[in-house]
Amino acid sequence: MQISRFSSQPSKDPVTQNAPKDNPGATGPTGLLPPPTRSALSQEPRPKGIVGYIISRYTWYIERLQHSLESEMPRTFRMFRIFSVGLKTFIKDFTGYVRVLVKLSFPSERLENLTLHQLQLYHFMPYDMFKVFPVLAISAIPFGQNLALPFGYLFPRQLLCRHFWDLQQSHDFAMRDLRKRVLYARPVFRCLQASVAGIEPLNDRVRMQSVCHLLGSGRHPRDTQVMELRQLFSAAPYGLKNIKRHHVHSLLRLHDLSAVRSRKRLRDHARWLLCHDFALTAEARGVPATDATSQRQDQGVDSSSVEGSGQSTLQQCDLASLHVNVLKTSLLLRGISPIGLDSSGMVRVMERWLAVSLQLSCADSSLLLHLPILLFYNHPTNLALVAR
């Protein structure tokens, strides 16, 4: 009997010690199949004696079935694996999203109190739930999964969400969606240019003309030049209450937002972006979200405290300590393509963004939403993405 390859304790199991040592390539009683990949199940410790032998045999048959499915029905096996793993991840995130909603239902809790992971759940899960609901609803009908699962497998972008995608699909779909967003950068820039002539006083008009000239010539303004435009984006002509309908529509598309209650949707997204910026720096500093929030409790009322602490906050955090997937997701959320950037390149881009955003408050929603234009309109990765 060949038991040694199934035992996790070969030195102590008497059955294992009697196993032959001159035939390591044997795979089982028949010896017809190549050795299956050792799974985590085969690594588990087992009891000794006859019970251990039975479990070892049973484990071998499970691994043999898995190997047969992988080799003889790879597409079917892959489909069920995608749905089983994706559903577990989806349920985990759904549970976390419900906990976030419960937390925000208390009067003492605010969006600013959420961690980076909780903020991303709050942002992504409503869309994910809406997108995958038809597949889940059809699967709940008797034998409905026989129809829902194949269609979901054939049309993952249309019928499934990110939990069910593999790495290549996640990358391809994210780049496709980002390209559609970046195409609206030029209409937003044209709307900014169209309102320059009506800016008063003259000094503000000259500042805005200088910024538009830099962007039109393939360059970007300095951080100080962007901050000098703060008043123009808080009221006329670029405040969210003052911009025209076409400008609002293009800005919504740039940030991948729906047109329902458009101006309120823009304000809410600007607040979420600002919270995400502070949560990102708190994560990089290793500071709990509650402690980071205590430093800016009045950010929506007293913007001067935020402006004064923005640069010092950025200097204290180490963005390079963040996982590369966190940096990539942060860039995508802000409309910046990470293609061609290594981790240090993504850190530099995020530092450029945070150098401005950490000086802003909720009253500067319009300026924050226009940062993809003011800071990254001519960024090489975005230009390369549009040119594809």
Side-chain angles (χ1 to χ4, degrees):
M1 292 185 297
Q2 298 161 355
I3 314 297
S4 58
R5 68 186 309 273
F6 301 105
S7 176
S8 61
Q9 297 177 341
S11 60
K12 298 181 180 181
D13 193 340
V15 178
T16 303
Q17 294 176 358
N18 296 328
K21 302 179 181 180
D22 58 346
N23 191 15
T27 61
T30 62
L32 297 177
L33 290 176
T37 303
R38 291 180 63 85
S39 63
L41 182 61
S42 64
Q43 308 290 336
E44 291 293 325
R46 305 186 180 89
K48 300 178 181 180
I50 187 64
V51 176
Y53 171 75
I54 294 174
I55 294 176
S56 297
R57 294 292 93 190
Y58 198 86
T59 300
W60 182 86
Y61 284 111
I62 293 176
E63 292 178 337
R64 178 179 175 178
L65 174 61
Q66 179 180 353
H67 179 76
S68 299
L69 290 174
E70 289 178 342
S71 59
E72 298 174 12
M73 295 182 291
R75 295 193 63 177
T76 303
F77 185 80
R78 182 171 179 267
M79 179 179 69
F80 281 101
R81 173 176 287 180
I82 287 173
F83 277 95
S84 61
V85 175
L87 186 60
K88 290 178 182 178
T89 308
F90 181 83
I91 292 174
K92 180 181 178 181
D93 282 357
F94 175 75
T95 305
Y97 174 66
V98 172
R99 291 173 180 169
V100 170
L101 294 182
V102 172
K103 181 177 181 179
L104 292 178
S105 65
F106 293 99
S108 60
E109 296 292 342
R110 303 166 57 195
L111 198 65
E112 290 76 12
N113 296 342
L114 300 182
T115 64
L116 184 66
H117 178 65
Q118 290 173 331
L119 284 168
Q120 293 183 174
L121 288 179
Y122 184 81
H123 178 75
F124 286 117
M125 280 307 295
Y127 176 75
D128 291 339
M129 293 163 57
F130 175 80
K131 192 172 184 181
V132 81
F133 178 75
V135 172
L136 297 179
I138 295 175
S139 300
I141 303 174
F143 303 105
Q145 66 272 16
N146 297 335
L147 177 65
L149 299 189
F151 271 95
Y153 180 78
L154 294 175
F155 304 99
R157 183 171 180 267
Q158 291 78 12
L159 298 177
L160 299 178
C161 61
R162 56 195 172 93
H163 303 85
F164 300 88
W165 299 336
D166 57 31
L167 293 177
Q168 187 62 44
Q169 288 174 332
S170 298
H171 174 79
D172 293 342
F173 298 159
M175 292 302 103
R176 190 181 305 181
D177 293 339
L178 181 61
R179 187 177 186 277
K180 292 181 179 179
R181 293 172 54 189
V182 174
L183 290 175
Y184 284 92
R186 177 167 294 181
V188 173
F189 177 54
R190 297 303 182 200
C191 291
L192 292 175
Q193 286 181 311
S195 302
V196 170
I199 296 178
E200 295 292 342
L202 179 61
N203 290 339
D204 291 339
R205 187 193 312 164
V206 171
R207 292 193 186 99
M208 192 63 198
Q209 285 177 335
S210 176
V211 169
C212 289
H213 175 72
L214 288 171
L215 294 175
S217 60
R219 294 175 291 171
H220 295 104
R222 299 186 303 273
D223 298 348
T224 54
Q225 290 178 286
V226 174
M227 291 304 300
E228 288 175 353
L229 306 176
R230 192 172 184 177
Q231 184 60 37
L232 295 178
F233 285 86
S234 298
Y238 300 125
L240 291 182
K241 295 181 180 180
N242 306 95
I243 56 179
K244 298 180 180 180
R245 182 175 300 179
H246 176 63
H247 194 162
V248 171
H249 173 78
S250 300
L251 201 58
L252 285 167
R253 293 293 178 262
L254 178 65
H255 290 279
D256 196 24
L257 302 174
S258 66
V260 180
R261 304 181 67 183
S262 54
R263 296 178 195 267
K264 183 180 184 303
R265 185 64 60 88
L266 287 172
R267 283 194 297 271
D268 291 343
H269 184 64
R271 181 190 177 193
W272 182 88
L273 271 178
L274 193 62
C275 293
H276 194 273
D277 288 339
F278 278 100
L280 193 68
T281 56
E283 188 93 0
R285 289 183 294 157
V287 179
T290 53
D291 294 346
T293 303
S294 64
Q295 302 174 8
R296 61 182 200 280
Q297 287 180 348
D298 300 325
Q299 76 170 47
V301 179
D302 184 9
S303 60
S304 61
S305 62
V306 179
E307 181 177 359
S309 62
Q311 293 295 336
S312 60
T313 301
L314 183 58
Q315 293 174 359
Q316 295 172 6
C317 68
D318 180 18
L319 295 179
S321 62
L322 298 174
H323 194 277
V324 65
N325 288 339
V326 175
L327 294 172
K328 182 179 179 180
T329 301
S330 300
L331 292 183
L332 291 172
L333 286 168
R334 289 155 182 79
I336 308 166
S337 172
I339 294 180
L341 297 176
D342 56 10
S343 58
S344 60
M346 288 188 280
V347 166
R348 288 193 297 270
V349 172
M350 282 307 305
E351 286 177 344
R352 179 80 201 282
W353 173 283
L354 294 172
V356 176
S357 69
L358 294 182
Q359 302 182 59
L360 305 179
S361 69
C362 290
D364 303 302
S365 298
S366 183
L367 181 57
L368 184 66
L369 294 173
H370 283 87
L371 289 186
I373 306 298
L374 299 174
L375 298 180
F376 305 104
Y377 181 72
N378 299 300
H379 197 271
T381 59
N382 281 10
L383 296 179
L385 183 65
V386 174
R388 292 171 58 182

